[in-house]
Amino acid sequence: MEEHNSYSDVTPEIVRLAELSREAGVIDSELFTKYDVKRGLRDLNGKGVLAGLTNISDVRATKMVDGKSVPCDGHLFYRGYEVNDLVEGFHKDHRFGFEEVTYLLLFNKLPDKQELAEFEKLLIYYRSLPTSFVRDIIMKAPSKDMMNTLARSILTLYSYDDRADDVSLPNVLRQCLQLISLCPMLSIYGYQAYSHYHDGNSLFIHQPMTEGSMAENILHILRPDSSYTPLEARILDICMILHMEHGGGNNSSFTTHVVTSSLTDTYSVMAAAIGSLKGPRHGGANIKVMQMFEDMKKEVKDWTDEEEVSRYLERLLSKDAFDHAGLIYGVGHAVYSKSDPRAIILKSFVEKLSEEKGLHKEFELYNLVEKLAPYVISGERQMYKGVSVNVDFYSGFVYNMLGLPTELYTPIFAIARMVGWSAHRMEELANNGKIIRPAYKTVCQEKEYVNLADRT
């Protein structure tokens, strides 16, 4: 039994003080309307407030018709190339795409064969952790949260870097490439340590591959026997490409710009971005999707019955099922309305993997929920725009079929998004902009000071 830590207790005194803090923090919602403040920096249609410019990626969910902006099928572009074209390109050649798309996002060009081969060798070279890092850092005080472990490990790498604070572009690029390559080891070794010390499972630490793709290396160091099928590795490769980047306005990429603009070091910037992605409103959604479906499979007797599945979805919205949050996880997106292109791409590969794993019935249930959820939501709630499944809807199912523990779902997202964060950090530094400091309007009233003896 673990020793009780009294400093973790939420005492009645803390509860009382927290209520005072809550009361002090509440702002009349009518003031946001009065001063035209966009809460969450978005309007009612989900359109973000313009806060900067980027040349890295583009997220499109509307088109102009007769001078008006109307919803359309979603499109995602990396450096001007549509993502589904990139995926189709390397898929038809039976190649892995992570390294190629990393090159594209960082350098704004598709590499030729020689450039790609040299870049792949560079990423493999950077897979080596400092001597004794696993023993001295990862194995000590393992956290139950792998995003915490990843952030802590990245911050610790600062101490091993002789040029940690150098923000020149060549040095920052070197740091970013190293972190892109090291994130799988930091995450998975952290999970192995936690699984061993807290759950009593066998401990195994595989050395990273000295060849092969990012996806292959992840499955190699994760699995006890290091084995995987070609389909498994290729689908993981596609999952990571679809999670690599999503515009400058998503919470963690915006965090990257904000913290980079202060000219702090790369390790601090990436730890801040990880802290953002860790939040369930951002990177943790696919875990909720998986948990929701596990509950659904228990509650719904006939997975093919549209009426029974619809009733369960209605119960979710009415806070009568699963976690009583009133949400159908994996459905809806801040930008996309008619469709999320990442979900469409992923779905085409998910069915193949479900057949390989003997889980086609589960896939059909996902397919049915994708069909029914928009109708159920529109029947229960006022909609300002359309709604469709997002990439998290299927990615959790993929990770489950790949045998990834849920503790690693969000770190896999972070491993992929490290590429996008790196591109945004380089872009912010290249433009040598001002420190990002948006305005906040104060609505507090001026008060006369009261002496301590006169306060009641």
Side-chain angles (χ1 to χ4, degrees):
M1 182 179 295
E2 295 184 8
E3 183 178 349
H4 175 69
N5 181 2
S6 61
Y7 288 99
S8 300
D9 292 343
V10 178
T11 64
E13 175 67 1
I14 291 295
V15 171
R16 184 186 69 81
L17 291 172
E19 178 59 22
L20 289 177
S21 179
R22 186 196 66 79
E23 293 173 356
V26 172
I27 296 174
D28 187 345
S29 60
E30 292 183 1
L31 293 177
F32 289 90
T33 303
K34 177 181 177 180
Y35 296 112
D36 193 28
V37 176
K38 305 295 192 299
R39 302 192 75 173
L41 298 183
R42 289 182 291 169
D43 62 21
L44 289 176
N45 295 314
K47 186 176 181 180
V49 175
L50 188 61
L53 303 175
T54 184
N55 192 38
I56 298 169
S57 68
D58 187 19
V59 182
R60 297 183 194 170
T62 60
K63 63 181 179 179
M64 298 303 295
V65 178
D66 297 329
K68 295 182 178 180
S69 178
V70 298
C72 69
D73 288 326
H75 297 271
L76 176 60
F77 295 83
Y78 287 173
R79 297 288 189 179
Y81 295 95
E82 194 146 16
V83 167
N84 56 336
D85 291 337
L86 295 171
V87 172
E88 183 179 346
F90 59 74
H91 179 65
K92 70 180 181 182
D93 292 339
H94 303 288
R95 295 184 291 106
F96 291 98
F98 181 92
E99 291 75 14
E100 178 180 341
V101 180
T102 297
Y103 191 100
L104 170 65
L105 286 173
L106 288 174
F107 310 122
N108 195 21
K109 61 170 289 189
L110 287 170
D112 60 29
K113 288 184 178 180
Q114 181 177 348
E115 289 171 332
L116 180 58
E118 291 175 353
F119 188 63
E120 289 173 341
K121 288 180 181 178
L122 183 61
L123 290 178
I124 291 173
Y125 171 74
Y126 281 141
R127 281 178 187 170
S128 299
L129 282 165
T131 303
S132 303
F133 190 90
V134 175
R135 182 196 67 194
D136 296 341
I137 306 302
I138 294 178
M139 290 296 171
K140 292 187 177 179
S143 169
K144 65 180 179 180
D145 189 287
M146 296 309 110
M147 291 293 279
N148 174 279
T149 294
L150 180 57
R152 184 181 63 182
S153 295
I154 286 175
L155 285 172
T156 305
L157 283 172
Y158 175 98
S159 303
Y160 291 79
D161 188 342
D162 293 337
R163 302 180 64 181
D165 290 308
D166 179 354
V167 295
S168 66
L169 286 178
N171 189 59
V172 170
L173 176 61
R174 185 264 306 173
Q175 292 170 328
C176 288
L177 292 176
Q178 288 176 336
L179 290 178
I180 289 168
S181 294
L182 290 176
C183 269
M185 278 69 73
L186 298 177
S187 301
I188 294 173
Y189 292 167
Y191 169 73
Q192 307 291 21
Y194 175 78
S195 176
H196 173 66
Y197 289 112
H198 286 262
D199 298 336
N201 296 320
S202 296
L203 175 64
F204 52 91
I205 301 292
H206 297 312
Q207 290 296 318
M209 298 171 66
T210 55
E211 59 183 7
S213 69
M214 174 73 80
E216 290 175 303
N217 185 53
I218 287 173
L219 294 174
H220 158 73
I221 61 177
L222 173 66
R223 294 181 170 176
D225 60 1
S226 293
S227 66
Y228 51 86
T229 68
L231 180 60
E232 287 179 320
R234 294 198 181 280
I235 289 182
L236 180 57
D237 180 66
I238 289 168
C239 279
M240 291 194 297
I241 289 166
L242 296 178
H243 281 95
M244 264 183 172
E245 166 60 11
H246 209 244
N250 70 79
N251 198 280
S252 58
S253 293
F254 185 60
T255 297
T256 301
H257 277 277
V258 171
V259 184
T260 294
S261 74
S262 74
L263 294 185
T264 192
D265 65 278
T266 298
Y267 304 99
S268 295
V269 169
M270 296 312 182
I274 288 168
S276 165
L277 189 69
K278 177 183 174 182
R281 286 183 173 179
H282 191 3
N286 54 16
I287 297 176
K288 281 291 190 179
V289 174
M290 273 301 304
Q291 293 170 342
M292 178 185 73
F293 268 93
E294 289 303 310
D295 185 72
M296 189 185 310
K297 287 188 287 186
K298 295 175 184 176
E299 295 287 323
V300 176
K301 292 182 173 60
D302 185 354
W303 297 356
T304 64
D305 188 328
E306 291 192 9
E307 289 188 8
E308 189 177 6
V309 173
S310 293
R311 284 196 298 272
Y312 178 84
L313 297 178
E314 290 168 357
R315 289 177 56 209
L316 285 173
L317 292 179
S318 63
K319 302 182 180 182
D320 188 40
F322 184 43
D323 63 355
H324 311 290
L327 299 172
I328 301 178
Y329 292 99
V331 182
H333 190 269
V335 180
Y336 299 122
S337 55
K338 295 189 70 174
S339 65
D340 181 340
R342 302 167 300 172
I344 293 173
I345 294 170
L346 192 55
K347 182 180 178 180
S348 65
F349 294 94
V350 167
E351 185 169 13
K352 297 175 186 177
L353 186 60
S354 71
E355 291 171 353
E356 181 179 282
K357 298 294 184 180
L359 296 171
H360 193 70
K361 287 184 178 179
E362 281 80 357
F363 170 77
E364 289 297 336
L365 177 59
Y366 275 79
N367 196 34
L368 183 57
V369 171
E370 178 182 3
K371 170 187 171 183
L372 297 175
Y375 295 102
V376 173
I377 293 173
S378 63
E380 295 288 330
R381 295 179 180 171
Q382 183 178 3
M383 301 294 295
Y384 295 101
K385 61 186 182 73
V387 66
S388 61
V389 298
N390 57 51
V391 67
D392 294 315
F393 186 81
Y394 283 110
S395 64
F397 185 36
V398 169
Y399 296 158
N400 183 53
M401 289 190 288
L402 291 176
L404 270 66
T406 56
E407 292 90 344
L408 286 176
Y409 284 15
T410 311
I412 291 293
F413 192 164
I415 290 168
R417 189 57 64 88
M418 183 63 68
V419 177
W421 294 335
S422 297
H424 282 286
R425 174 159 172 75
M426 296 291 290
E427 185 177 68
E428 184 67 33
L429 291 172
N431 283 284
N432 194 27
K434 296 180 179 180
I435 186 170
I436 296 174
R437 189 185 183 280
Y440 265 65
K441 180 177 181 61
T442 181
V443 291
C444 67
Q445 301 295 319
E446 292 189 13
K447 302 168 187 175
E448 292 289 337
Y449 178 77
V450 179
N451 290 319
L452 178 59
D454 299 326
R455 297 173 201 168
T456 57

